[in-house]
Amino acid sequence: MSALNIKKGSTSHSAYDLRDHNATVIESHTLAVIVENEPGVLARVIGLFSGRGYNIDSLTVAEVDHTGHRSRITIVTSGTPAVIDQIEAQLGRIVSVYEVHDLTAEGPCVQRELALFKVAGKGEARIEALRLAEIFRANVVDSTLESFVFEMTGTPEKIDAFAELMRPLGLREIARTGVAALSRGA
Amino acid sequence: MTKAMSGAKMVVQALKEQGVEVVFGYPGGAVLPIYDEIFQQNDIRHILVRHEQGAVHMAEGYARSTGKPGVVLVTSGPGATNAVTGLVDALMDSIPLVVLTGQVPTFMIGTDGFQEADTVGITRPCTKHNWLVKDTAKLSETIHQAFHVATSGRPGPVLIDIPKDVQFATADYTPKEKTRVAHYQPRLKGDPDAILRLVEMMEAAERPILYTGGGVINSGPHASRLLRELAAATDFPVTSTLMGLGAYPASGKNWLGMLGMHGLYEANLAMHGCDLMINIGARFDDRITGRVKDFSPHSKKAHIDIDPSSINKVIRVDVPILGDVGQVLEDVLTLWKARGSKVNKAGLTKWWKQIEDWRAVNCLAFKNSEKTIKPQYALQRLEALTKGMDRYITTEVGQHQMWAAQFLGFEDPNRWMTSGGLGTMGYGLPASIGVQIAHPQALVINVAGEASWLMNMQEMGTAMQFRAPVKQFILNNERLGMVRQWQELLHGERYSHSWSESLPDFVKLAEAFGCKGIKCQDPKDLDDAIMEMIRYPGPVIFDCLVEKHENCFPMIPSGKPHNEMLLGEADTQGVIGAKGAVLV
C-alpha cells in the first residue's frame, strides 16, 4: 500500500473517488459477503444476481463461524464501476447479509483457488506432465500407470495457465473450487 | 416471563403484542389452527376477503393510510401464490406488510403434498425478507423480527411460512422485548458533511427544485411537516412523484404538481431546466426520468434516501445522503437556520418567473363537451364536490389513475393510495376497503377504470359483509384506455384487444351485491349523481360513462427527455420512434 494510504481503486464511499463512474469498461471484482447461515441464504444472493442481470464468474461458500452461524460467500463478478457499486448496495440490503466487502476496491488481497486435474497419457507426455506439475508446485494425489490427478492451489490465472499446458498432454477433467480471498495485512 | 402455548395461539398472541387490530385473510386447510384461535378471541378483527390478492391489497390500503403495517393471513399453496402479486406491489411501493401463510406439515414438505407450494422459494424475490418456521419455539420470535424488518429502513412486505404441525405443537412464547433484535438496523442519520454540502448548494442555487417521493410519506407525518417547513423557508418549488402526492399540499404556493410521464408541463420543464435538484425520498424511476442520457442535463443533484441501492442506481448524483427523510430534513433545517442561510434571491425570482410562464401554458386544459362526460371533467367535479371532506382516494391503474393524480388535490399525506411501481390493475377496489376498515367514518373513493375494476370486483362482497361504504367511481370508456392510447400513438391505431365487449350492467351488478348502483352519462346530471353517491351510507358502484377515445396528456413519450412533451392531440403525429416503441 502506498504511503498516502489511498486505497487502490477506491469506491464512492471513500474520500478519494478516483474511479470514473460513467466508464463503460468492464472490471472484475472480488466480493466477500458475510451472511447468516440460514436456509435459503445462498438462494437470496444468487437470486439477486440472476434477477438483476449481474454476472457471477465464480462463487464459493462455506460456514466460517460455526458458533455464530456465519458463512462467507466469495463472489467474483464483473461489470462497469456503476454496476459493481450497485451490486454491493443490493447485497448490503439483503436482511441476512451482515457485511459486504469489495476486496478489489478496498486494497490488495490474496486470492486462491484449488483445482484438481485428471491427466491421462503414456510415455513422453506423461513425463512432461509430471515435470510441469513440479514447476507449478502441483501435487500428485492419485496415480495409475496411465493417469495422474494433480492438485494445485493458486490464483485463477495460474490454474488457467496450468490447464492450458495440460490440454495437449492428455487433460481429461478439471474440477475447480472457485476463488477464496482475503485482504492483505491485519 | 415465558409461557407455553401452541404455535397457533402464539401467532395470535404475537400479533396482539404488536398492536395489530385487523387481519385480512382467507382460511384453508393449512391455517385452520390459527383460524381456530382467531375464533376464540375478540381483540383482533378478521376481514374475510374473496380472493387472497384482495387481502394483500386491502392490507396495503390499510398500511398506506395509517402508517402501520398491514397483516395478511392465507393458507398454503394457492393461498400463497394468489398473494404474490400483492407482495410484489408492496415491495415496489415500499409498503410494510406482514403476510402469514400456512404450509403443509414439516414432514410433508418436499413430497408435493396437497396444496403444497415452495412458498418461501416463490416469494423470496417478492418480499423484503421471508422465513419458513420449522420449530414452534422460534415462531413468536420470528413474528416479532418480521414486524421489525417490515417497518424499519425502507419498508416492505415480509412473509412467514408456518407449517401446520408447527401451529399445533407447543413451546414457550417469546415476548417482543425478549426477542433478539435482528442485526438489521438501517442507518437513519444523514452524513453531516453531505448535509453541509447540500445547504451550501441550496444557498447558491439559482434554479432549485425539490423533487419529492413516497419516501417522505413512509418517513411519517413528521417528514411531511418538515418538507413544508423547508419549502416555506427557502421558497423553492416542489414537485412530486405519483407516490409522494400529499406530502406537500396541492394548495401550497410552491406546488408545481406531479412530474413524470403524465406529469405537469411546468414540473417537468422545471426538472429539466433546474441547476439544483434535491431528490427527497424518490428513486429516479423510468416514468420520471424519461431518456436517462438527457435527464436534467445542467443540474447538480442531491439524493436523500434510506436505501443505499436507490442512490446512483439510475442517475448519478453529486451529493448522496443516506438516511431517513425526516431525520435528514430536520438536520438540513437546523443547519439552514443556524447558518442564517439565505437563498439566491435574484436567481430564485427569475426562476419563479420562468415557472409562471410554463404554468401559463395550462397543460391540463382539455376540450369539454356538453354531450358526453369527459373523464377529466368527471374528476374536476369529483374534486370540487368532495374537497374539504375527510377524504381518501385509491385508484386502479391506467388513464383514470393519471387523470386522478392530475385533477385531484391532496392536502395531506396518507390520503392517496395507488399502485405506482408495479402498476397493478385490480389494486384500487380492495385497497379502498382496507382504507375504509382503518377509517370507518371517512369518505373513501376508488377512482377506477372499468377494466381494472373488474379484475378484483369480487371484493364488493367483502365491502358488503363488513359494511365498508366504499365508493367505486368507475370512469367507463369500454376500453383499456391506456393500452388503446399507446396503440393509437405507437401501433398505427390497430386496437388489438383493447376494448371490452359484453361489459356487465354495473347497476345490476351493484344490486346483485346488495349495494347501490348509479349510472351517469350526461354531464348535466353528473353533480347530482356524485352527491347521491357521497350521501348514500353504503357501498356504491358508480358507472360514469365517459368519452371513449380520450387521450391522457401531457405525455412524455417513451425514450424522450422532459423537454419533448406532448401537450395535446395536435402533437401526436409520429412522435415515438422505433427506439421508444420498445420501451414500455
Side-chain angles (χ1 to χ4, degrees), chain A residues 12 17 21-22 36 38 40 43-44 52 85-86 89-90 93 95-98, chain B residues 124 127-131 149 154 182-184 307-313 316:
Chain A
S12 59
D17 197 353
H21 287 274
N22 299 318
E36 170 102 32
E38 58 177 20
R44 286 182 208 284
R52 294 187 184 264
D85 283 351
Q86 185 59 207
Q90 292 287 355
R93 73 182 192 143
V95 172
S96 6
V97 168
Y98 287 92
Chain B
R124 202 172 283 128
T127 53
K128 190 173 166 187
H129 197 66
N130 62 12
W131 295 263
V149 171
R154 180 174 176 178
H183 71 279
Y184 181 75
D307 176 4
S309 73
S310 280
I311 292 174
N312 293 334
K313 180 171 70 178
R316 220 174 152 79

Side-chain angles (χ1 to χ4, degrees), chain B residues 262-317:
Chain B
H262 293 287
L264 270 67
Y265 184 71
E266 50 269 40
N268 283 329
L269 285 194
M271 286 287 279
H272 190 80
C274 66
D275 71 344
L276 173 63
M277 178 186 296
I278 306 172
N279 174 340
I280 309 175
R283 60 181 178 91
F284 295 111
D285 178 83
D286 58 77
R287 302 289 101 161
I288 299 303
T289 59
R291 192 199 297 163
V292 166
K293 192 166 70 66
D294 296 316
F295 176 70
S296 192
H298 308 297
S299 62
K300 292 273 181 207
K301 298 172 187 76
H303 187 179
I304 304 168
D305 205 300
I306 201 161
D307 176 4
S309 73
S310 280
I311 292 174
N312 293 334
K313 180 171 70 178
V314 179
I315 299 290
R316 220 174 152 79
V317 297

Side-chain angles (χ1 to χ4, degrees), chain B residues 123-369:
Chain B
T123 61
R124 202 172 283 128
C126 311
T127 53
K128 190 173 166 187
H129 197 66
N130 62 12
W131 295 263
L132 168 64
V133 181
K134 287 184 172 170
D135 179 1
T136 309
K138 290 185 177 153
L139 180 55
S140 51
E141 187 172 53
T142 304
I143 295 173
H144 293 310
Q145 284 171 350
F147 274 87
H148 169 74
V149 171
T151 54
S152 314
R154 180 174 176 178
V158 299
L159 181 143
I160 310 171
D161 201 23
I162 312 172
K164 198 171 180 182
D165 56 334
V166 172
Q167 299 170 31
F168 275 123
T170 53
D172 284 342
Y173 177 81
T174 310
K176 189 178 163 188
E177 79 270 5
K178 288 262 178 70
T179 294
R180 287 176 301 131
V181 178
H183 71 279
Y184 181 75
Q185 298 291 351
R187 176 174 161 173
L188 302 177
K189 207 85 178 141
D191 170 21
D193 293 340
I195 289 172
L196 175 62
R197 275 185 72 198
L198 171 59
V199 167
E200 286 170 353
M201 285 159 81
M202 285 164 64
E203 289 166 356
E206 292 179 4
R207 302 185 308 280
I209 187 162
L210 302 175
Y211 150 43
T212 65
V216 184
I217 302 197
N218 279 333
S219 182
H222 177 62
S224 292
R225 275 199 300 278
L226 290 163
L227 171 67
R228 291 158 193 225
E229 218 181 292
L230 184 70
T234 57
D235 199 29
F236 287 0
V238 186
T239 181
S240 168
T241 66
L242 183 73
M243 296 308 295
L245 295 177
Y248 187 82
S251 62
K253 94 176 182 30
N254 298 33
W255 179 237
L256 300 187
M258 181 177 79
L259 80 157
M261 183 174 270
H262 293 287
L264 270 67
Y265 184 71
E266 50 269 40
N268 283 329
L269 285 194
M271 286 287 279
H272 190 80
C274 66
D275 71 344
L276 173 63
M277 178 186 296
I278 306 172
N279 174 340
I280 309 175
R283 60 181 178 91
F284 295 111
D285 178 83
D286 58 77
R287 302 289 101 161
I288 299 303
T289 59
R291 192 199 297 163
V292 166
K293 192 166 70 66
D294 296 316
F295 176 70
S296 192
H298 308 297
S299 62
K300 292 273 181 207
K301 298 172 187 76
H303 187 179
I304 304 168
D305 205 300
I306 201 161
D307 176 4
S309 73
S310 280
I311 292 174
N312 293 334
K313 180 171 70 178
V314 179
I315 299 290
R316 220 174 152 79
V317 297
D318 304 281
V319 184
I321 304 178
L322 186 61
D324 171 62
V325 164
Q327 298 219 9
V328 173
L329 286 184
E330 189 152 8
D331 291 347
V332 168
L333 271 163
T334 308
L335 187 63
W336 183 265
K337 287 174 197 155
R339 280 166 64 93
S341 293
K342 296 247 170 356
V343 293
N344 181 334
K345 192 84 186 165
L348 201 56
T349 309
K350 246 174 90 183
W351 181 226
W352 271 112
K353 169 79 183 59
Q354 168 69 73
I355 290 171
E356 290 310 327
D357 288 351
W358 288 328
R359 195 175 264 167
V361 168
N362 191 18
C363 68
L364 293 183
F366 62 96
K367 210 166 153 219
N368 211 354
S369 157

